[in-house]
Amino acid sequence: MTIAKRTLWCASLAAMASAIALPAHAADDTTPGDDRRDDILITAQRQQQTIENAPSTRASIDADTIARTVNAMNVEDTIKYLPSLIVRKRHIGDTQAPLATRTSGLGASARSLIYADGALLSALIGNNNTSASPRWSAVSPQEIARIDVLYGPFSAAYPGNSIGAVVNITTRLPDDLEATATAGVSVQTYDLYGRRDTYPAYQAGVTIGDRFGPLALFASYDHVTSRSQPIGYVTGAAGPGVVGAIPDRNRTGQPITILGSSGIERQGQDRLKLKAALDLGSDIRLTYVGGLFLNRTNASAESYLTATATGLPVYPSTSFASGTYASRQRHWSHAVSLGGSGGGIDWQVIGTRYRFADDEQRVPTGSLPAALSGGSGNITRLDGMGWDTLDAKAAWSRGGNVLSAGAHWDRFVLASNRYATTDWIKGADGVLNQQSLGKTRTAALWAQDALDLLPRLTLALGGRYEWWRAYDGVNFSASPIVSNIQSERSTARFSPKASLAWKSTDKWKVQLSYGDAWRFPTVGELYQLVTSGVLGAVPNPNLKPEHARSTELAIERSDAKGSIRLSLFNEVVTDALISQTGTIPAVGGGTLTASFVQNVDRTRARGAELAVVRNDLIPRLDLSGSVTYADATTRADPALPAAVGKLIPTVPRWKTNAVATWRPVDGVSLSAAARYSSRMYGQLDNSDAVGNTYQGFYKFFVVDLRAQFVVAKKYLLGLGVDNVNNDKYFLFHPFPQRSLHADLTIKL
């Protein structure tokens, strides 16, 4: 290593370490492509595709395209223009951003899989849009090389959680010395219920990588500081002697009174990644990827009410306190893989671990404003929660035949403990008042064979056999009284796959695919208990796995300038795992209203997706977009007959997006993008008739703009506006309004 290289590495690593200790306030970056960096990472990405040999429809986006078209402050931003996808990202830095797909909604996080370099980011400890949201935070935008999305459960290489889609994120691992520094800012202007404010976010990041003979190293650090718009609103009776209440309607059309806002989050987040790849020979590589995520969130509430006598704010509802909280998170991720090629065989063994090493949330139980100074509260700890995975897989290619196979093992751990405390701000843990514990474990064997029957006709057959077990389930609540040690459960299922592809010419391809998928209940669906004075959500330890039968006919034309694809899809799910609100028996008699996951007898989703990618449609103009129609309805539900024939929660009939990029001269790109979704519903029976209100789900149409300027090949300036048309819509929570972006990237 030269003195210059050593100095640059030491200085960069020291800066990353000091930045974690003393976070900086700066901003955004999406690192554009660099031909030098692609040798190793593309080799690894192609090897993964060869081994898994997935006969699935796919969509992709690379770092260059992301940099030109997306105002990306977080990694989940980068896929928002891909076909049929909706990411429920409420604000910059949101840790609760699940993915919705063609046939599955925003509350079905366990029906999609997200991986980064083979490490699982999907939190399959639940199936919801809160603690079970994907751990996008394990990746920063400047790490990304490319993202591939596979649609539907048509590959035996993936478990039944692939019902909706599989997102594979490939990050950078350069083959020469490189370094980048990024900074950016986003400012949201927000106006609702007569309250106007601005909410800024800042990002700073650095990366450095190089190869030293057989060893390649890459390190990155990213910091985000943000302030969100209100996540919730407080309703109730204003009481006498106050002014400022705002009349409105709730999602069922009943009149309500808005008393104020809550969940206004101030966040500071840090991500540190280290990747190392060691070539043990010409065909064998050992790789390690480690990541640390730190998050600090403080949420506040604002009352719209003032006392007529004093002019001081009034807080008549305890909901102001529940929307005031402090969260601290320290999460670790590790992945070790060994892979190689030789004799027509590609192989890989990879083990991963994700751990909530330190995760607490503090919430007051007293009333505001007194609770702002301390007092009684609850501390919820998720320390020790997480998952482990182990995969061994290989592919053998010979002539027109590709045979791939593998073995899989995973374990998911639920560990949620809530304690009373005398001081919710700084107090120690007191008496345990709520507990949810449990584990699930799955082992699987799979095989898939792609055989060229004729020169242009390929048949792929596959199957996956899985053994599933749930155990160590414990539920406890002091009030209301719950005390259960759940019994152990186990089952096994087989999932066949088949695909027939015909390439009539070099440009045209027709593919018919079928996939069975068994999605086993998550440990959270089985054992997670949530209470807030009364039961808010209850576990169901007797849930059956949901069974999806999916088919797709895809017709695609590809050439040097892009592709056009039409997909016709149909999905039937029996024993679908969906949360419903209902009544349950209470201890000591009577009933309680609660939300709980049930097996809905049968749902069906069928529709069409048209996706287009055209580069240089006319000289220097690129265009991509998609239109998706889905008729996704409940077909049988004896527990709630009113749901039959109604739309599945948060699966709209129409989703469209489009991105146009014009490159008037070299080094300048101007992009305009649009996203649209038709009306959604949050309830199985679609009884939430009012969509554009807090806790409602509405339609949206959002237009985004971005300009990128390359200066002297080393400086990249990005300017943009998200939601330039300022659409004010709700997906349960109010979503961001018009936001201005600016970012600068400096490359070595």
Side-chain angles (χ1 to χ4, degrees), residues 77-108:
D77 296 327
T78 61
I79 62 172
K80 62 184 177 182
Y81 304 134
L82 294 183
S84 299
L85 303 183
I86 297 177
V87 180
R88 193 210 70 157
K89 178 187 171 183
R90 301 170 299 175
H91 59 82
I92 292 170
D94 190 10
T95 59
Q96 301 178 18
L99 178 68
T101 59
R102 286 175 180 170
T103 58
S104 298
L106 296 168

PDB file of all heavy atoms in Angstrom, residues 77-108:
ATOM      1  N   ASP A  77     -36.121   4.843  -0.952  1.00  0.00           N
ATOM      2  CA  ASP A  77     -36.549   5.781  -1.998  1.00  0.00           C
ATOM      3  C   ASP A  77     -36.232   5.257  -3.393  1.00  0.00           C
ATOM      4  O   ASP A  77     -36.921   5.588  -4.365  1.00  0.00           O
ATOM      5  CB  ASP A  77     -35.843   7.131  -1.836  1.00  0.00           C
ATOM      6  CG  ASP A  77     -36.205   7.843  -0.549  1.00  0.00           C
ATOM      7  OD1 ASP A  77     -37.350   7.700  -0.097  1.00  0.00           O
ATOM      8  OD2 ASP A  77     -35.333   8.543   0.000  1.00  0.00           O
ATOM      9  N   THR A  78     -35.191   4.462  -3.511  1.00  0.00           N
ATOM     10  CA  THR A  78     -34.638   4.125  -4.817  1.00  0.00           C
ATOM     11  C   THR A  78     -35.524   3.211  -5.643  1.00  0.00           C
ATOM     12  O   THR A  78     -35.330   3.105  -6.855  1.00  0.00           O
ATOM     13  CB  THR A  78     -33.256   3.469  -4.652  1.00  0.00           C
ATOM     14  OG1 THR A  78     -33.388   2.258  -3.900  1.00  0.00           O
ATOM     15  CG2 THR A  78     -32.303   4.406  -3.924  1.00  0.00           C
ATOM     16  N   ILE A  79     -36.518   2.536  -5.040  1.00  0.00           N
ATOM     17  CA  ILE A  79     -37.356   1.601  -5.804  1.00  0.00           C
ATOM     18  C   ILE A  79     -38.772   2.121  -6.013  1.00  0.00           C
ATOM     19  O   ILE A  79     -39.621   1.396  -6.529  1.00  0.00           O
ATOM     20  CB  ILE A  79     -37.412   0.218  -5.114  1.00  0.00           C
ATOM     21  CG1 ILE A  79     -38.040   0.321  -3.720  1.00  0.00           C
ATOM     22  CG2 ILE A  79     -36.022  -0.397  -5.038  1.00  0.00           C
ATOM     23  CD1 ILE A  79     -38.295  -1.042  -3.078  1.00  0.00           C
ATOM     24  N   LYS A  80     -39.029   3.375  -5.664  1.00  0.00           N
ATOM     25  CA  LYS A  80     -40.416   3.843  -5.673  1.00  0.00           C
ATOM     26  C   LYS A  80     -40.996   4.006  -7.069  1.00  0.00           C
ATOM     27  O   LYS A  80     -42.213   4.129  -7.210  1.00  0.00           O
ATOM     28  CB  LYS A  80     -40.538   5.144  -4.895  1.00  0.00           C
ATOM     29  CG  LYS A  80     -39.749   6.324  -5.444  1.00  0.00           C
ATOM     30  CD  LYS A  80     -39.882   7.527  -4.510  1.00  0.00           C
ATOM     31  CE  LYS A  80     -39.049   8.713  -4.985  1.00  0.00           C
ATOM     32  NZ  LYS A  80     -39.149   9.849  -4.035  1.00  0.00           N
ATOM     33  N   TYR A  81     -40.146   4.000  -8.126  1.00  0.00           N
ATOM     34  CA  TYR A  81     -40.663   4.115  -9.478  1.00  0.00           C
ATOM     35  C   TYR A  81     -40.682   2.778 -10.226  1.00  0.00           C
ATOM     36  O   TYR A  81     -40.974   2.750 -11.421  1.00  0.00           O
ATOM     37  CB  TYR A  81     -39.834   5.127 -10.280  1.00  0.00           C
ATOM     38  CG  TYR A  81     -39.753   6.500  -9.658  1.00  0.00           C
ATOM     39  CD1 TYR A  81     -38.531   7.166  -9.556  1.00  0.00           C
ATOM     40  CD2 TYR A  81     -40.889   7.138  -9.171  1.00  0.00           C
ATOM     41  CE1 TYR A  81     -38.442   8.431  -8.992  1.00  0.00           C
ATOM     42  CE2 TYR A  81     -40.810   8.400  -8.597  1.00  0.00           C
ATOM     43  CZ  TYR A  81     -39.586   9.034  -8.505  1.00  0.00           C
ATOM     44  OH  TYR A  81     -39.503  10.287  -7.934  1.00  0.00           O
ATOM     45  N   LEU A  82     -40.378   1.680  -9.554  1.00  0.00           N
ATOM     46  CA  LEU A  82     -40.408   0.373 -10.207  1.00  0.00           C
ATOM     47  C   LEU A  82     -41.845  -0.149 -10.258  1.00  0.00           C
ATOM     48  O   LEU A  82     -42.686   0.208  -9.425  1.00  0.00           O
ATOM     49  CB  LEU A  82     -39.494  -0.609  -9.479  1.00  0.00           C
ATOM     50  CG  LEU A  82     -37.997  -0.280  -9.542  1.00  0.00           C
ATOM     51  CD1 LEU A  82     -37.183  -1.355  -8.847  1.00  0.00           C
ATOM     52  CD2 LEU A  82     -37.525  -0.101 -10.978  1.00  0.00           C
ATOM     53  N   PRO A  83     -42.163  -1.019 -11.216  1.00  0.00           N
ATOM     54  CA  PRO A  83     -43.554  -1.423 -11.439  1.00  0.00           C
ATOM     55  C   PRO A  83     -44.227  -2.017 -10.206  1.00  0.00           C
ATOM     56  O   PRO A  83     -43.658  -2.856  -9.504  1.00  0.00           O
ATOM     57  CB  PRO A  83     -43.426  -2.477 -12.553  1.00  0.00           C
ATOM     58  CG  PRO A  83     -42.184  -2.097 -13.279  1.00  0.00           C
ATOM     59  CD  PRO A  83     -41.252  -1.580 -12.232  1.00  0.00           C
ATOM     60  N   SER A  84     -45.446  -1.551  -9.945  1.00  0.00           N
ATOM     61  CA  SER A  84     -46.377  -2.128  -8.969  1.00  0.00           C
ATOM     62  C   SER A  84     -45.979  -1.960  -7.513  1.00  0.00           C
ATOM     63  O   SER A  84     -46.663  -2.485  -6.636  1.00  0.00           O
ATOM     64  CB  SER A  84     -46.599  -3.635  -9.250  1.00  0.00           C
ATOM     65  OG  SER A  84     -47.151  -3.819 -10.523  1.00  0.00           O
ATOM     66  N   LEU A  85     -44.892  -1.266  -7.208  1.00  0.00           N
ATOM     67  CA  LEU A  85     -44.416  -1.175  -5.831  1.00  0.00           C
ATOM     68  C   LEU A  85     -44.859   0.138  -5.185  1.00  0.00           C
ATOM     69  O   LEU A  85     -44.875   1.188  -5.826  1.00  0.00           O
ATOM     70  CB  LEU A  85     -42.888  -1.268  -5.775  1.00  0.00           C
ATOM     71  CG  LEU A  85     -42.250  -2.502  -6.395  1.00  0.00           C
ATOM     72  CD1 LEU A  85     -40.740  -2.466  -6.179  1.00  0.00           C
ATOM     73  CD2 LEU A  85     -42.837  -3.786  -5.826  1.00  0.00           C
ATOM     74  N   ILE A  86     -45.218   0.059  -3.913  1.00  0.00           N
ATOM     75  CA  ILE A  86     -45.457   1.234  -3.081  1.00  0.00           C
ATOM     76  C   ILE A  86     -44.691   1.027  -1.781  1.00  0.00           C
ATOM     77  O   ILE A  86     -44.830  -0.011  -1.132  1.00  0.00           O
ATOM     78  CB  ILE A  86     -46.954   1.442  -2.760  1.00  0.00           C
ATOM     79  CG1 ILE A  86     -47.763   1.712  -4.032  1.00  0.00           C
ATOM     80  CG2 ILE A  86     -47.131   2.613  -1.788  1.00  0.00           C
ATOM     81  CD1 ILE A  86     -49.254   1.859  -3.785  1.00  0.00           C
ATOM     82  N   VAL A  87     -43.864   1.994  -1.427  1.00  0.00           N
ATOM     83  CA  VAL A  87     -43.169   1.968  -0.145  1.00  0.00           C
ATOM     84  C   VAL A  87     -43.849   2.970   0.780  1.00  0.00           C
ATOM     85  O   VAL A  87     -43.936   4.154   0.456  1.00  0.00           O
ATOM     86  CB  VAL A  87     -41.674   2.320  -0.304  1.00  0.00           C
ATOM     87  CG1 VAL A  87     -40.977   2.284   1.057  1.00  0.00           C
ATOM     88  CG2 VAL A  87     -40.999   1.358  -1.269  1.00  0.00           C
ATOM     89  N   ARG A  88     -44.353   2.497   1.920  1.00  0.00           N
ATOM     90  CA  ARG A  88     -45.042   3.390   2.856  1.00  0.00           C
ATOM     91  C   ARG A  88     -44.004   4.096   3.731  1.00  0.00           C
ATOM     92  O   ARG A  88     -43.836   3.793   4.909  1.00  0.00           O
ATOM     93  CB  ARG A  88     -46.030   2.611   3.728  1.00  0.00           C
ATOM     94  CG  ARG A  88     -46.991   3.516   4.492  1.00  0.00           C
ATOM     95  CD  ARG A  88     -47.435   2.916   5.802  1.00  0.00           C
ATOM     96  NE  ARG A  88     -46.355   2.861   6.793  1.00  0.00           N
ATOM     97  CZ  ARG A  88     -46.559   2.805   8.106  1.00  0.00           C
ATOM     98  NH1 ARG A  88     -47.775   2.769   8.596  1.00  0.00           N
ATOM     99  NH2 ARG A  88     -45.531   2.747   8.938  1.00  0.00           N
ATOM    100  N   LYS A  89     -43.319   5.043   3.133  1.00  0.00           N
ATOM    101  CA  LYS A  89     -42.331   5.827   3.865  1.00  0.00           C
ATOM    102  C   LYS A  89     -42.974   7.138   4.285  1.00  0.00           C
ATOM    103  O   LYS A  89     -43.280   7.992   3.449  1.00  0.00           O
ATOM    104  CB  LYS A  89     -41.100   6.078   2.996  1.00  0.00           C
ATOM    105  CG  LYS A  89     -40.039   6.924   3.680  1.00  0.00           C
ATOM    106  CD  LYS A  89     -38.925   7.278   2.725  1.00  0.00           C
ATOM    107  CE  LYS A  89     -37.995   8.294   3.341  1.00  0.00           C
ATOM    108  NZ  LYS A  89     -36.941   8.734   2.430  1.00  0.00           N
ATOM    109  N   ARG A  90     -43.152   7.326   5.592  1.00  0.00           N
ATOM    110  CA  ARG A  90     -43.903   8.477   6.088  1.00  0.00           C
ATOM    111  C   ARG A  90     -43.070   9.749   6.129  1.00  0.00           C
ATOM    112  O   ARG A  90     -43.627  10.851   6.058  1.00  0.00           O
ATOM    113  CB  ARG A  90     -44.455   8.172   7.479  1.00  0.00           C
ATOM    114  CG  ARG A  90     -45.373   6.950   7.516  1.00  0.00           C
ATOM    115  CD  ARG A  90     -45.693   6.557   8.936  1.00  0.00           C
ATOM    116  NE  ARG A  90     -44.484   6.207   9.683  1.00  0.00           N
ATOM    117  CZ  ARG A  90     -44.490   5.919  10.982  1.00  0.00           C
ATOM    118  NH1 ARG A  90     -45.626   5.952  11.656  1.00  0.00           N
ATOM    119  NH2 ARG A  90     -43.361   5.598  11.595  1.00  0.00           N
ATOM    120  N   HIS A  91     -41.774   9.617   6.261  1.00  0.00           N
ATOM    121  CA  HIS A  91     -40.887  10.775   6.306  1.00  0.00           C
ATOM    122  C   HIS A  91     -39.458  10.292   6.166  1.00  0.00           C
ATOM    123  O   HIS A  91     -39.173   9.091   6.259  1.00  0.00           O
ATOM    124  CB  HIS A  91     -41.064  11.567   7.611  1.00  0.00           C
ATOM    125  CG  HIS A  91     -40.785  10.754   8.854  1.00  0.00           C
ATOM    126  ND1 HIS A  91     -39.522  10.537   9.333  1.00  0.00           N
ATOM    127  CD2 HIS A  91     -41.627  10.097   9.697  1.00  0.00           C
ATOM    128  CE1 HIS A  91     -39.575   9.783  10.425  1.00  0.00           C
ATOM    129  NE2 HIS A  91     -40.844   9.507  10.661  1.00  0.00           N
ATOM    130  N   ILE A  92     -38.530  11.196   5.925  1.00  0.00           N
ATOM    131  CA  ILE A  92     -37.112  10.847   5.815  1.00  0.00           C
ATOM    132  C   ILE A  92     -36.628  10.280   7.150  1.00  0.00           C
ATOM    133  O   ILE A  92     -36.851  10.861   8.206  1.00  0.00           O
ATOM    134  CB  ILE A  92     -36.295  12.083   5.409  1.00  0.00           C
ATOM    135  CG1 ILE A  92     -36.648  12.469   3.973  1.00  0.00           C
ATOM    136  CG2 ILE A  92     -34.800  11.834   5.550  1.00  0.00           C
ATOM    137  CD1 ILE A  92     -36.081  13.794   3.549  1.00  0.00           C
ATOM    138  N   GLY A  93     -35.983   9.116   7.095  1.00  0.00           N
ATOM    139  CA  GLY A  93     -35.520   8.455   8.306  1.00  0.00           C
ATOM    140  C   GLY A  93     -36.539   7.541   8.942  1.00  0.00           C
ATOM    141  O   GLY A  93     -36.276   6.964  10.007  1.00  0.00           O
ATOM    142  N   ASP A  94     -37.701   7.365   8.320  1.00  0.00           N
ATOM    143  CA  ASP A  94     -38.737   6.503   8.887  1.00  0.00           C
ATOM    144  C   ASP A  94     -38.222   5.071   9.012  1.00  0.00           C
ATOM    145  O   ASP A  94     -37.691   4.509   8.053  1.00  0.00           O
ATOM    146  CB  ASP A  94     -39.969   6.537   7.990  1.00  0.00           C
ATOM    147  CG  ASP A  94     -41.182   5.869   8.620  1.00  0.00           C
ATOM    148  OD1 ASP A  94     -41.131   5.546   9.825  1.00  0.00           O
ATOM    149  OD2 ASP A  94     -42.187   5.685   7.906  1.00  0.00           O
ATOM    150  N   THR A  95     -38.367   4.469  10.191  1.00  0.00           N
ATOM    151  CA  THR A  95     -37.955   3.077  10.401  1.00  0.00           C
ATOM    152  C   THR A  95     -39.112   2.105  10.191  1.00  0.00           C
ATOM    153  O   THR A  95     -38.953   0.910  10.404  1.00  0.00           O
ATOM    154  CB  THR A  95     -37.390   2.893  11.821  1.00  0.00           C
ATOM    155  OG1 THR A  95     -38.392   3.264  12.778  1.00  0.00           O
ATOM    156  CG2 THR A  95     -36.141   3.733  12.027  1.00  0.00           C
ATOM    157  N   GLN A  96     -40.265   2.630   9.779  1.00  0.00           N
ATOM    158  CA  GLN A  96     -41.447   1.795   9.560  1.00  0.00           C
ATOM    159  C   GLN A  96     -41.946   2.018   8.137  1.00  0.00           C
ATOM    160  O   GLN A  96     -42.905   2.755   7.904  1.00  0.00           O
ATOM    161  CB  GLN A  96     -42.529   2.129  10.584  1.00  0.00           C
ATOM    162  CG  GLN A  96     -42.075   1.931  12.020  1.00  0.00           C
ATOM    163  CD  GLN A  96     -43.134   2.312  13.036  1.00  0.00           C
ATOM    164  OE1 GLN A  96     -44.315   2.428  12.721  1.00  0.00           O
ATOM    165  NE2 GLN A  96     -42.712   2.502  14.274  1.00  0.00           N
ATOM    166  N   ALA A  97     -41.277   1.358   7.183  1.00  0.00           N
ATOM    167  CA  ALA A  97     -41.569   1.572   5.762  1.00  0.00           C
ATOM    168  C   ALA A  97     -41.742   0.233   5.056  1.00  0.00           C
ATOM    169  O   ALA A  97     -40.828  -0.246   4.376  1.00  0.00           O
ATOM    170  CB  ALA A  97     -40.449   2.387   5.113  1.00  0.00           C
ATOM    171  N   PRO A  98     -42.912  -0.412   5.197  1.00  0.00           N
ATOM    172  CA  PRO A  98     -43.135  -1.695   4.525  1.00  0.00           C
ATOM    173  C   PRO A  98     -43.343  -1.514   3.031  1.00  0.00           C
ATOM    174  O   PRO A  98     -43.578  -0.409   2.535  1.00  0.00           O
ATOM    175  CB  PRO A  98     -44.413  -2.217   5.200  1.00  0.00           C
ATOM    176  CG  PRO A  98     -45.138  -0.977   5.597  1.00  0.00           C
ATOM    177  CD  PRO A  98     -44.076   0.004   5.990  1.00  0.00           C
ATOM    178  N   LEU A  99     -43.275  -2.631   2.317  1.00  0.00           N
ATOM    179  CA  LEU A  99     -43.381  -2.650   0.865  1.00  0.00           C
ATOM    180  C   LEU A  99     -44.691  -3.309   0.457  1.00  0.00           C
ATOM    181  O   LEU A  99     -45.020  -4.405   0.911  1.00  0.00           O
ATOM    182  CB  LEU A  99     -42.195  -3.425   0.276  1.00  0.00           C
ATOM    183  CG  LEU A  99     -42.151  -3.592  -1.239  1.00  0.00           C
ATOM    184  CD1 LEU A  99     -41.903  -2.254  -1.915  1.00  0.00           C
ATOM    185  CD2 LEU A  99     -41.058  -4.598  -1.622  1.00  0.00           C
ATOM    186  N   ALA A 100     -45.446  -2.641  -0.419  1.00  0.00           N
ATOM    187  CA  ALA A 100     -46.646  -3.229  -1.022  1.00  0.00           C
ATOM    188  C   ALA A 100     -46.326  -3.617  -2.460  1.00  0.00           C
ATOM    189  O   ALA A 100     -45.578  -2.923  -3.156  1.00  0.00           O
ATOM    190  CB  ALA A 100     -47.806  -2.247  -0.981  1.00  0.00           C
ATOM    191  N   THR A 101     -46.919  -4.732  -2.920  1.00  0.00           N
ATOM    192  CA  THR A 101     -46.615  -5.268  -4.243  1.00  0.00           C
ATOM    193  C   THR A 101     -47.901  -5.379  -5.063  1.00  0.00           C
ATOM    194  O   THR A 101     -48.914  -4.774  -4.735  1.00  0.00           O
ATOM    195  CB  THR A 101     -45.923  -6.628  -4.105  1.00  0.00           C
ATOM    196  OG1 THR A 101     -46.784  -7.535  -3.376  1.00  0.00           O
ATOM    197  CG2 THR A 101     -44.610  -6.491  -3.340  1.00  0.00           C
ATOM    198  N   ARG A 102     -47.842  -6.135  -6.144  1.00  0.00           N
ATOM    199  CA  ARG A 102     -49.011  -6.264  -7.022  1.00  0.00           C
ATOM    200  C   ARG A 102     -50.264  -6.691  -6.257  1.00  0.00           C
ATOM    201  O   ARG A 102     -51.342  -6.127  -6.431  1.00  0.00           O
ATOM    202  CB  ARG A 102     -48.755  -7.344  -8.079  1.00  0.00           C
ATOM    203  CG  ARG A 102     -47.822  -7.020  -9.190  1.00  0.00           C
ATOM    204  CD  ARG A 102     -47.648  -8.300 -10.007  1.00  0.00           C
ATOM    205  NE  ARG A 102     -46.762  -8.147 -11.144  1.00  0.00           N
ATOM    206  CZ  ARG A 102     -46.325  -9.184 -11.866  1.00  0.00           C
ATOM    207  NH1 ARG A 102     -46.690 -10.413 -11.555  1.00  0.00           N
ATOM    208  NH2 ARG A 102     -45.537  -8.982 -12.897  1.00  0.00           N
ATOM    209  N   THR A 103     -50.116  -7.700  -5.402  1.00  0.00           N
ATOM    210  CA  THR A 103     -51.273  -8.373  -4.814  1.00  0.00           C
ATOM    211  C   THR A 103     -51.323  -8.289  -3.300  1.00  0.00           C
ATOM    212  O   THR A 103     -52.258  -8.815  -2.696  1.00  0.00           O
ATOM    213  CB  THR A 103     -51.261  -9.862  -5.222  1.00  0.00           C
ATOM    214  OG1 THR A 103     -50.036 -10.464  -4.779  1.00  0.00           O
ATOM    215  CG2 THR A 103     -51.371 -10.009  -6.724  1.00  0.00           C
ATOM    216  N   SER A 104     -50.329  -7.661  -2.670  1.00  0.00           N
ATOM    217  CA  SER A 104     -50.271  -7.585  -1.209  1.00  0.00           C
ATOM    218  C   SER A 104     -50.146  -6.127  -0.786  1.00  0.00           C
ATOM    219  O   SER A 104     -49.480  -5.330  -1.454  1.00  0.00           O
ATOM    220  CB  SER A 104     -49.083  -8.390  -0.668  1.00  0.00           C
ATOM    221  OG  SER A 104     -49.213  -9.758  -1.005  1.00  0.00           O
ATOM    222  N   GLY A 105     -50.790  -5.801   0.358  1.00  0.00           N
ATOM    223  CA  GLY A 105     -50.884  -4.418   0.783  1.00  0.00           C
ATOM    224  C   GLY A 105     -49.798  -3.987   1.739  1.00  0.00           C
ATOM    225  O   GLY A 105     -48.841  -4.713   2.032  1.00  0.00           O
ATOM    226  N   LEU A 106     -49.971  -2.777   2.279  1.00  0.00           N
ATOM    227  CA  LEU A 106     -48.968  -2.143   3.126  1.00  0.00           C
ATOM    228  C   LEU A 106     -48.853  -2.796   4.494  1.00  0.00           C
ATOM    229  O   LEU A 106     -47.866  -2.592   5.188  1.00  0.00           O
ATOM    230  CB  LEU A 106     -49.308  -0.662   3.297  1.00  0.00           C
ATOM    231  CG  LEU A 106     -49.268   0.168   2.008  1.00  0.00           C
ATOM    232  CD1 LEU A 106     -49.887   1.532   2.239  1.00  0.00           C
ATOM    233  CD2 LEU A 106     -47.840   0.313   1.509  1.00  0.00           C
ATOM    234  N   GLY A 107     -49.854  -3.559   4.908  1.00  0.00           N
ATOM    235  CA  GLY A 107     -49.789  -4.243   6.193  1.00  0.00           C
ATOM    236  C   GLY A 107     -49.312  -5.673   6.088  1.00  0.00           C
ATOM    237  O   GLY A 107     -49.400  -6.430   7.057  1.00  0.00           O
ATOM    238  N   ALA A 108     -48.796  -6.069   4.918  1.00  0.00           N
ATOM    239  CA  ALA A 108     -48.373  -7.456   4.693  1.00  0.00           C
ATOM    240  C   ALA A 108     -46.876  -7.509   4.448  1.00  0.00           C
ATOM    241  O   ALA A 108     -46.402  -7.978   3.408  1.00  0.00           O
ATOM    242  CB  ALA A 108     -49.138  -8.065   3.514  1.00  0.00           C
TER     243      ALA A 108
END
